[in-house]
Amino acid sequence: MPPELLLGLRAVGDGAPDRCLQGGETPGKRKPPDEEQEAIKIQAWWRGTLVRRTLLHAALRAAIIQRWWRRVRVTLLERRRRAALHSSVREAWAAVRLQSWVRMWRVRQRYSRLLHAVRIIQGYWRWHSCHTSGVFRGRYELTANQLGIELEIFLGSQICRITDCIPFPIKN
């Protein structure tokens, strides 16, 4: 043990009360305790206690700040993750919507082409059926004793007109 810690300790088994030996001292001669040295030791102990207490409080405060900062980082990370998820969902939704618009546009374009083709076919069919089947137009006049008929038959580029009067038989 260092000699400064031996002050105030009692040697066991020598029977001398409050006596301790210091380096180079002979038994029987004891130095009076140096009060200034002991005050310095007490002050050093007290300063050490204060420093340890300050360090403990600083460590506790640092731990509190670290816990707070970790929570803040987790919150920020969670916000970033949600923003990234929201962004990817919006991009996917936009892609789906764009695809549906393109599909709709293609279907409408195909329908428009088919409708145009149908109109062309119908025009040719109507012209053909009109020129091959013919059209009838006529009028009649009914009197008390006869029926007058005028018929016009259009067959292609040919026209046939029929005019006739049919008398009714009179019964007495």
Side-chain angles (χ1 to χ4, degrees), residues 139-143 146-150 163-168:
R139 66 182 189 96
Y140 66 93
E141 186 179 325
L142 184 62
T143 59
Q146 69 178 4
L147 174 65
I149 298 175
E150 288 182 23
T163 306
D164 198 4
C165 286
I166 302 172
F168 291 135

Side-chain angles (χ1 to χ4, degrees), residues 51-172:
V51 167
R52 284 189 295 277
R53 186 187 311 167
T54 304
L55 289 175
L56 176 65
H57 286 287
L60 290 174
R61 289 182 185 127
I64 289 170
I65 291 170
Q66 286 172 352
R67 279 191 301 248
W68 170 80
W69 179 243
R70 286 182 190 125
R71 260 184 289 158
V72 166
R73 276 193 2 217
V74 165
T75 304
L76 290 174
L77 182 63
E78 187 63 30
R79 282 185 191 162
R80 277 193 219 123
R81 284 181 188 159
R82 283 186 184 164
L85 178 65
H86 183 68
S87 174
S88 66
V89 165
R90 284 186 62 144
E91 287 175 6
W93 179 80
V96 167
R97 186 146 186 180
L98 185 62
Q99 288 170 355
S100 73
W101 285 346
V102 168
R103 280 194 302 269
M104 180 179 61
W105 175 73
R106 290 179 67 195
V107 165
R108 285 183 179 174
Q109 195 176 24
R110 182 175 166 86
Y111 176 74
S112 177
R113 273 191 253 129
L114 288 174
L115 194 60
H116 182 66
V118 164
R119 286 182 182 147
I120 291 173
I121 291 170
Q122 283 177 345
Y124 280 115
W125 180 259
R126 286 179 184 150
W127 181 84
H128 177 71
S129 65
C130 178
H131 289 287
T132 56
S133 300
V135 176
F136 290 94
R137 195 183 325 169
R139 66 182 189 96
Y140 66 93
E141 186 179 325
L142 184 62
T143 59
N145 57 2
Q146 69 178 4
L147 174 65
I149 298 175
E150 288 182 23
L151 287 175
E152 292 177 343
I153 301 172
F154 297 97
L155 193 58
S157 61
Q158 301 172 358
I159 299 174
C160 179
R161 288 193 178 110
I162 301 173
T163 306
D164 198 4
C165 286
I166 302 172
F168 291 135
I170 298 177
K171 289 187 179 179
N172 288 332

Side-chain angles (χ1 to χ4, degrees), residues 3-71:
E4 55 268 357
L5 293 179
L6 293 176
L7 292 177
L9 293 180
R10 204 182 259 186
V12 180
D14 63 356
D18 295 320
R19 236 183 216 178
C20 58
L21 299 174
Q22 293 185 0
E25 219 182 301
T26 59
K29 286 188 178 179
R30 186 179 144 204
K31 269 183 160 178
D34 189 8
E35 291 180 10
E36 188 176 322
Q37 286 294 325
E38 289 192 17
I40 290 173
K41 289 178 191 174
I42 291 171
Q43 288 171 355
W45 170 81
W46 181 247
R47 279 193 305 271
T49 302
L50 289 177
V51 167
R52 284 189 295 277
R53 186 187 311 167
T54 304
L55 289 175
L56 176 65
H57 286 287
L60 290 174
R61 289 182 185 127
I64 289 170
I65 291 170
Q66 286 172 352
R67 279 191 301 248
W68 170 80
W69 179 243
R70 286 182 190 125
R71 260 184 289 158

